[in-house]
Amino acid sequence: MSSPAVPSVLFVCVHNAGRSQMAAAFLTSLGGERVEVRSAGSAPADTVNPAVVEALAEVGIDISAEVPKVLTVEAVQACDLVITMGCGDACPYFPGKRYLDWKLDDPAGQGVDAVRPIRDQIEQRIRGLLAELGIEAAA
């Protein structure tokens, strides 16, 4: 007996070092195995923004081992939903895919004090996305 397919979400920003990493981390943390999560960037940075790592650690999410990943056509094709993170990123378009653009401040070059409100906005959007997908957020 095969298990039902889980929705697949791809978060995209230019450097895959801040917003898309936070969104992927929250969706993974709150959605668990009930959703497949990817993140990528068109021009990935060498490392995840340290202020982003710190801000997520404050809410119990460890992304210290994450590395920015390059956006591929295959990653877009494999997803049901592509969410760009307000950076005007050029993302491959495929008919039948659902695309959203979340306008969020860029945490690049910001300290943890500036990253916290962005983190909190992303968490709220992820909770809304889970509700829309009919997935109960983990406690």
Side-chain angles (χ1 to χ4, degrees), residues 119-135:
R119 172 201 66 200
D120 295 344
Q121 288 175 1
I122 290 172
E123 180 182 7
Q124 289 310 308
R125 287 178 186 238
I126 293 298
R127 289 183 181 280
L129 177 64
L130 284 167
E132 183 183 314
L133 294 173
I135 297 170

Side-chain angles (χ1 to χ4, degrees), residues 2-114:
S2 66
S3 58
V6 298
S8 179
V9 180
L10 170 65
F11 295 100
V12 180
C13 68
V14 174
H15 299 297
N16 189 223
R19 294 167 288 189
S20 57
Q21 289 282 350
M22 285 191 281
F26 272 118
L27 188 54
T28 299
S29 175
L30 297 170
E33 294 182 5
R34 297 161 296 170
V35 63
E36 185 178 332
V37 183
R38 293 179 175 90
S39 71
S42 57
D46 293 329
T47 61
V48 174
N49 180 333
V52 167
V53 173
E54 183 179 344
L56 284 175
E58 291 176 352
V59 296
I61 299 174
D62 179 9
I63 65 163
S64 60
E66 292 295 325
V67 294
K69 294 165 279 309
V70 69
L71 176 65
T72 65
V73 169
E74 294 78 21
V76 176
Q77 288 175 320
C79 289
D80 301 310
L81 174 60
V82 178
I83 300 176
T84 56
M85 310 301 283
C87 35
D89 196 36
C91 183
Y93 177 80
F94 294 97
K97 297 279 177 209
R98 182 171 171 216
Y99 291 83
L100 295 175
D101 184 44
W102 289 357
K103 305 257 188 262
L104 297 159
D105 291 337
D106 189 347
Q110 304 291 320
V112 71
D113 289 339

